[in-house]
mmCIF file of all heavy atoms in Angstrom:
data_model
loop_
_atom_site.group_PDB
_atom_site.id
_atom_site.type_symbol
_atom_site.label_atom_id
_atom_site.label_comp_id
_atom_site.label_asym_id
_atom_site.label_seq_id
_atom_site.Cartn_x
_atom_site.Cartn_y
_atom_site.Cartn_z
ATOM 1 N N HIS A 124 -63.015 -7.214 -67.990
ATOM 2 C CA HIS A 124 -63.209 -7.820 -66.527
ATOM 3 C C HIS A 124 -62.418 -9.063 -66.377
ATOM 4 O O HIS A 124 -62.792 -10.107 -67.006
ATOM 5 C CB HIS A 124 -64.763 -8.052 -66.359
ATOM 6 C CG HIS A 124 -64.881 -8.478 -64.921
ATOM 7 N ND1 HIS A 124 -65.391 -7.639 -63.952
ATOM 8 C CD2 HIS A 124 -64.939 -9.692 -64.296
ATOM 9 C CE1 HIS A 124 -65.507 -8.370 -62.758
ATOM 10 N NE2 HIS A 124 -65.218 -9.582 -62.955
ATOM 11 N N HIS A 126 -59.089 -10.905 -63.744
ATOM 12 C CA HIS A 126 -58.424 -10.793 -62.366
ATOM 13 C C HIS A 126 -57.009 -11.353 -62.559
ATOM 14 O O HIS A 126 -56.636 -12.127 -63.273
ATOM 15 C CB HIS A 126 -59.168 -11.632 -61.346
ATOM 16 C CG HIS A 126 -60.584 -11.485 -61.340
ATOM 17 N ND1 HIS A 126 -61.170 -10.224 -60.755
ATOM 18 C CD2 HIS A 126 -61.748 -12.164 -61.732
ATOM 19 C CE1 HIS A 126 -62.576 -10.395 -60.774
ATOM 20 N NE2 HIS A 126 -62.883 -11.600 -61.286
ATOM 21 N N TYR A 142 -63.142 -17.668 -50.284
ATOM 22 C CA TYR A 142 -62.681 -18.715 -51.065
ATOM 23 C C TYR A 142 -61.262 -18.640 -51.305
ATOM 24 O O TYR A 142 -60.572 -17.487 -51.194
ATOM 25 C CB TYR A 142 -63.429 -18.826 -52.444
ATOM 26 C CG TYR A 142 -63.198 -17.628 -53.355
ATOM 27 C CD1 TYR A 142 -62.018 -17.609 -54.203
ATOM 28 C CD2 TYR A 142 -63.992 -16.535 -53.321
ATOM 29 C CE1 TYR A 142 -61.853 -16.565 -54.971
ATOM 30 C CE2 TYR A 142 -63.847 -15.490 -54.077
ATOM 31 C CZ TYR A 142 -62.783 -15.345 -54.912
ATOM 32 O OH TYR A 142 -62.481 -14.383 -55.751
ATOM 33 N N SER A 170 -62.391 -10.436 -54.324
ATOM 34 C CA SER A 170 -62.584 -10.429 -52.936
ATOM 35 C C SER A 170 -61.572 -11.335 -52.253
ATOM 36 O O SER A 170 -61.150 -11.034 -51.103
ATOM 37 C CB SER A 170 -63.950 -11.104 -52.481
ATOM 38 O OG SER A 170 -64.100 -12.276 -53.031
ATOM 39 N N ARG A 217 -64.346 -0.826 -56.489
ATOM 40 C CA ARG A 217 -65.442 -1.787 -56.632
ATOM 41 C C ARG A 217 -66.107 -2.070 -55.277
ATOM 42 O O ARG A 217 -65.519 -2.063 -54.150
ATOM 43 C CB ARG A 217 -64.856 -3.145 -57.059
ATOM 44 C CG ARG A 217 -65.910 -4.249 -57.494
ATOM 45 C CD ARG A 217 -65.362 -5.569 -57.812
ATOM 46 N NE ARG A 217 -66.215 -6.397 -58.435
ATOM 47 C CZ ARG A 217 -66.040 -7.650 -58.481
ATOM 48 N NH1 ARG A 217 -65.025 -8.274 -57.703
ATOM 49 N NH2 ARG A 217 -66.786 -8.425 -59.244
ATOM 50 N N ARG A 223 -72.257 -14.038 -50.465
ATOM 51 C CA ARG A 223 -71.293 -15.177 -50.269
ATOM 52 C C ARG A 223 -69.915 -14.751 -50.387
ATOM 53 O O ARG A 223 -68.890 -15.578 -50.248
ATOM 54 C CB ARG A 223 -71.758 -16.256 -51.208
ATOM 55 C CG ARG A 223 -71.397 -15.975 -52.657
ATOM 56 C CD ARG A 223 -71.887 -16.850 -53.579
ATOM 57 N NE ARG A 223 -71.986 -16.312 -55.044
ATOM 58 C CZ ARG A 223 -70.908 -16.141 -55.798
ATOM 59 N NH1 ARG A 223 -69.719 -16.568 -55.370
ATOM 60 N NH2 ARG A 223 -71.021 -15.394 -56.886
ATOM 61 N N TYR A 250 -71.136 -4.865 -57.687
ATOM 62 C CA TYR A 250 -71.405 -6.236 -57.921
ATOM 63 C C TYR A 250 -72.589 -6.659 -57.051
ATOM 64 O O TYR A 250 -72.395 -6.581 -55.738
ATOM 65 C CB TYR A 250 -70.146 -7.133 -57.677
ATOM 66 C CG TYR A 250 -70.375 -8.614 -58.108
ATOM 67 C CD1 TYR A 250 -71.337 -8.995 -59.210
ATOM 68 C CD2 TYR A 250 -69.573 -9.601 -57.778
ATOM 69 C CE1 TYR A 250 -71.437 -10.284 -59.663
ATOM 70 C CE2 TYR A 250 -69.674 -10.915 -58.018
ATOM 71 C CZ TYR A 250 -70.588 -11.218 -58.998
ATOM 72 O OH TYR A 250 -70.733 -12.507 -59.466
ATOM 73 N N HIS A 274 -71.798 -7.993 -64.527
ATOM 74 C CA HIS A 274 -72.485 -9.228 -64.910
ATOM 75 C C HIS A 274 -73.914 -8.986 -65.195
ATOM 76 O O HIS A 274 -74.726 -9.808 -64.695
ATOM 77 C CB HIS A 274 -72.085 -10.319 -64.070
ATOM 78 C CG HIS A 274 -70.596 -10.521 -63.636
ATOM 79 N ND1 HIS A 274 -69.633 -10.088 -64.547
ATOM 80 C CD2 HIS A 274 -69.936 -11.029 -62.694
ATOM 81 C CE1 HIS A 274 -68.463 -10.358 -63.930
ATOM 82 N NE2 HIS A 274 -68.642 -10.890 -62.780
HETATM 83 C C1 0GY B 670 -66.248 -12.207 -60.596
HETATM 84 C C2 0GY B 670 -67.208 -12.991 -59.817
HETATM 85 C C3 0GY B 670 -67.064 -13.576 -58.611
HETATM 86 C C4 0GY B 670 -66.031 -13.309 -57.705
HETATM 87 C C5 0GY B 670 -65.670 -12.131 -57.345
HETATM 88 O O1 0GY B 670 -64.611 -10.475 -55.986
HETATM 89 C C6 0GY B 670 -64.821 -11.707 -56.337
HETATM 90 O O2 0GY B 670 -64.389 -12.677 -55.564
HETATM 91 O O3 0GY B 670 -65.998 -11.037 -58.139
HETATM 92 C C7 0GY B 670 -68.009 -14.604 -58.193
HETATM 93 O O4 0GY B 670 -67.726 -15.468 -57.417
HETATM 94 O O5 0GY B 670 -69.214 -14.438 -58.710
HETATM 95 O O6 0GY B 670 -66.582 -11.238 -61.116
HETATM 96 O O7 0GY B 670 -65.105 -12.502 -60.529
#
Side-chain angles (χ1 to χ4, degrees):
H124 188 94
H126 309 285
Y142 63 88
S170 59
R217 191 182 197 207
R223 70 185 160 79
Y250 190 25
H274 314 333

